[in-house]
Amino acid sequence: MSVLARSIVRLHSGRHTPVTRIPSRSCARVAASAHGPGRVALLGRGLVFSSLSLLAVQSYRWKCKHAVVYASIKVEDVKEQADYLHGSGETEKLYQFLSPYKDSEDAELLWRLSRASRDLAQLSTTGAAEKKRLIYEALELARKALEIKESCSAAHKWYAICLSDVGDYEGIKVKIGNSYSIKDHFQRAIDLNPKDATSIHLLGLWCYTFADLPWYQVKIASALFAAPPSSSFEELIQISTAKIFFTWGKVS
C-alpha cells in the first residue's frame, strides 16, 4: 500500500501519524540562519540607507533655506545699486542694469525699472518712436508691480506718473478719463507713505491743474463726462500744508 493510501486509512481509522520533532540543534541552526551574519548585514545596510536618506533630506532643506537667503541678499544688492545709479543720474546705465529683471516677480524691482524706463523716455536724445515705446513699457511695468504688491507706495506713484504720460498719445478724452485714476493712485501712494514728498507735490499739481482749468476745457470735459475731474484751491492748500509740515520734519 502506498504512503498516501496508508495516510488516508489512518485518518479514517482515527489513528494519527506521530508528530516528527525537530531536534533542538536543528532549531538552533534554523534560528541562526534567520538571524545570521547575512541578515545582520542586510539590516545594517538598511540602517545606513535610512541615515543617508535623512541626511539628504536635511541637506536639501538647508540648501533651500540658504538659497532663499542668498536670493534675498542678491535682490537687495540690485535695489541698492539701482538707487545709486538713479541718484547719480546714470539713466541709460540704470535702464540697462535693470532690464534683465523685467520678468521679475519682485514689485520693488519692477517699479524701479518703470522709473528708469520713464526717465530714459524723457531724455532729449531719445527719439520719438523710442520715447513712446518706453512710456508704454514703463506703464506696464508699474501695473505689474501693483498686481504683485498693491501696498507698494512707489508703484502707485509711478503708475500715476506713467498713466499721465500715456495720455499724450491717447487723445483728450482718454487723458481726462485717466485723471480720475491718476488722482486716486497719488492719494493711495500718500496713504501708504505719508512722507513721500514727490507724491504730495504731484497731487497738489493735479489739484492746481483742475482748480485753474480754463472755462472752455471745463465745457469739453463736461461734454465728455457727466462728472468731469474737479478740484479747488482749498484742497490745494490742504495738500500744500501737508507738504510744508513734511519738509519741516525732514529738515529737523
Side-chain angles (χ1 to χ4, degrees), residues 17 24 37 40 49 66 115 124 158 166 207 210 218 221-222 232 244-245:
T17 304
S24 58
V40 172
F49 290 148
H66 285 75
R115 177 183 63 184
S124 58
W158 286 102
V166 166
C207 292
F210 285 97
V218 175
S222 299
S232 64
I244 291 171
F245 278 122

Side-chain angles (χ1 to χ4, degrees), residues 126-167:
T126 304
E130 180 66 4
K131 178 178 180 178
K132 181 178 180 180
R133 184 193 71 80
L134 288 168
I135 286 175
Y136 277 92
E137 179 185 71
L139 178 65
E140 288 306 311
L141 289 166
R143 189 199 310 276
K144 184 179 177 181
L146 285 177
E147 290 174 355
I148 294 172
K149 187 179 179 182
E150 191 280 334
S151 61
C152 180
S153 173
H156 282 281
K157 174 175 62 180
W158 286 102
Y159 181 78
I161 292 172
C162 296
L163 190 60
S164 177
D165 291 339
V166 166

Side-chain angles (χ1 to χ4, degrees), residues 171-177 180 216-229:
I172 186 65
K173 184 176 181 179
V174 174
K175 190 166 187 175
I176 294 176
Y180 300 97
Y216 65 89
Q217 291 186 12
V218 175
K219 287 290 185 181
I220 295 173
S222 299
L224 295 173
F225 300 94

Side-chain angles (χ1 to χ4, degrees), residues 85-148:
L85 291 173
H86 176 72
S88 301
E90 299 285 356
T91 305
E92 294 181 0
K93 289 183 180 179
L94 174 59
Y95 180 77
Q96 293 173 359
F97 174 69
L98 289 176
S99 289
Y101 301 96
K102 62 181 179 180
D103 296 323
S104 171
E105 293 298 319
D106 191 306
E108 296 293 328
L109 291 179
L110 290 173
W111 76 253
R112 282 174 169 82
L113 180 54
S114 173
R115 177 183 63 184
S117 182
R118 197 263 179 182
D119 288 348
L120 187 59
Q122 302 303 311
L123 295 181
S124 58
T125 55
T126 304
E130 180 66 4
K131 178 178 180 178
K132 181 178 180 180
R133 184 193 71 80
L134 288 168
I135 286 175
Y136 277 92
E137 179 185 71
L139 178 65
E140 288 306 311
L141 289 166
R143 189 199 310 276
K144 184 179 177 181
L146 285 177
E147 290 174 355
I148 294 172

